[in-house]
């Protein structure tokens, strides 16, 4: 099944499937005068949350303060899926969650380890997501454009766009 078909059938499931397969994206605080930054996410499908581990001395943490609206954008490497997620970004002291999301890669970035003062856990409670897909085949793309060119009533099927709203956010 193509990514477009998956998104058309169940956009929420497709989103969390891509989040599971794609470890990083770009996170930014809304209305902050800074660029988005690459972050590794840990997705919780059941609670519609993304979790991040970072340092307290980052621009992102300073811009977020005690909490702020944020965007998280990701793309699938093959160019068939794009998403921009939004919600409330807040610091968290959930040690059980930190245990769940702590990895060897995270450990490598923090000299004092998981319990060091330089570790911050962030929670992005998702409110909504905009998802776009594109055809994964140059042949399909070409055929759709050709059909549309020769049939004025034919609109090319080149992908999909869906909005997902998370009820608990």
């Amino acid at each position: 099944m193509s990514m477009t078909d998956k998104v058309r059938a169940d956009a929420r499931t497709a989103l969390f499937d891509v989040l599971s397969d794609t470890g990083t994206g770009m996170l930014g605080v809304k209305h902050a005068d800074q660029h988005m930054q690459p972050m590794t996410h840990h997705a919780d499908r059941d609670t519609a949350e993304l979790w991040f581990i970072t340092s307290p001395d980052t621009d992102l943490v300073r811009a977020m303060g005690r909490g702020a609206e944020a965007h998280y954008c990701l793309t699938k490497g093959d160019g068939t899926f794009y998403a921009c997620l939004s919600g409330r970004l807040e610091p968290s002291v959930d040690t059980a969650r930190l245990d769940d999301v702590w990895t060897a890669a995270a450990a490598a970035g923090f000299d004092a380890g998981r319990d060091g003062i330089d570790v911050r856990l962030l929670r992005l409670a998702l409110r909504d997501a905009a998802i776009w897909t594109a055809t994964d085949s140059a042949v399909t793309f070409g055929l759709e454009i050709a059909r549309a060119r020769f049939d004025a009533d034919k609109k090319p099927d080149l992908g999909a766009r869906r909005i997902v709203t998370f009820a608990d956010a």
Side-chain angles (χ1 to χ4, degrees):
M1 178 183 287
S2 75
M3 184 53 67
T4 295
D5 291 340
K6 288 177 185 177
V7 167
R8 285 180 177 151
D10 186 346
R12 186 184 197 281
T13 297
L15 172 63
F16 278 95
D17 288 350
V18 171
L19 283 164
S20 293
D21 293 340
T22 308
T24 59
M26 299 292 286
L27 179 63
V29 173
K30 286 185 184 179
H31 309 297
D33 189 23
Q34 60 183 242
H35 294 285
M36 297 178 82
Q37 37 193 291
M39 296 289 285
T40 298
H41 62 261
H42 305 274
D44 187 324
R45 196 180 288 259
D46 297 330
T47 61
E49 296 170 333
L50 299 182
W51 294 86
F52 307 91
I53 300 170
T54 192
S55 172
D57 62 352
T58 63
D59 291 340
L60 180 74
V61 170
R62 283 192 289 276
M64 175 193 65
R66 293 188 199 153
E69 295 300 307
H71 278 127
Y72 188 63
C73 298
L74 70 141
T75 63
K76 196 166 179 276
D78 64 2
T80 61
F81 184 96
Y82 305 87
C84 184
L85 299 77
S86 66
R88 181 94 180 146
L89 182 66
E90 299 175 322
S92 174
V93 294
D94 185 338
T95 55
R97 180 61 69 164
L98 183 56
D99 288 339
D100 288 343
V101 301
W102 191 256
T103 63
F110 295 94
D111 293 336
R114 180 215 165 293
D115 296 318
I117 61 170
D118 61 337
V119 174
R120 287 294 180 274
L121 181 64
L122 306 180
R123 172 184 167 263
L124 179 59
L126 297 175
R127 181 180 40 259
D128 56 41
I131 299 168
W132 297 264
T133 66
T135 181
D136 60 353
S137 164
V139 173
T140 301
F141 179 85
L143 287 172
E144 287 294 320
I145 296 300
R147 283 186 197 140
R149 186 166 183 228
F150 292 109
D151 181 351
D153 296 328
K154 168 76 171 126
K155 185 171 180 159
D157 184 4
L158 302 175
R161 179 176 183 273
R162 295 289 186 271
I163 301 293
V164 176
T165 303
F166 301 97
D168 296 334

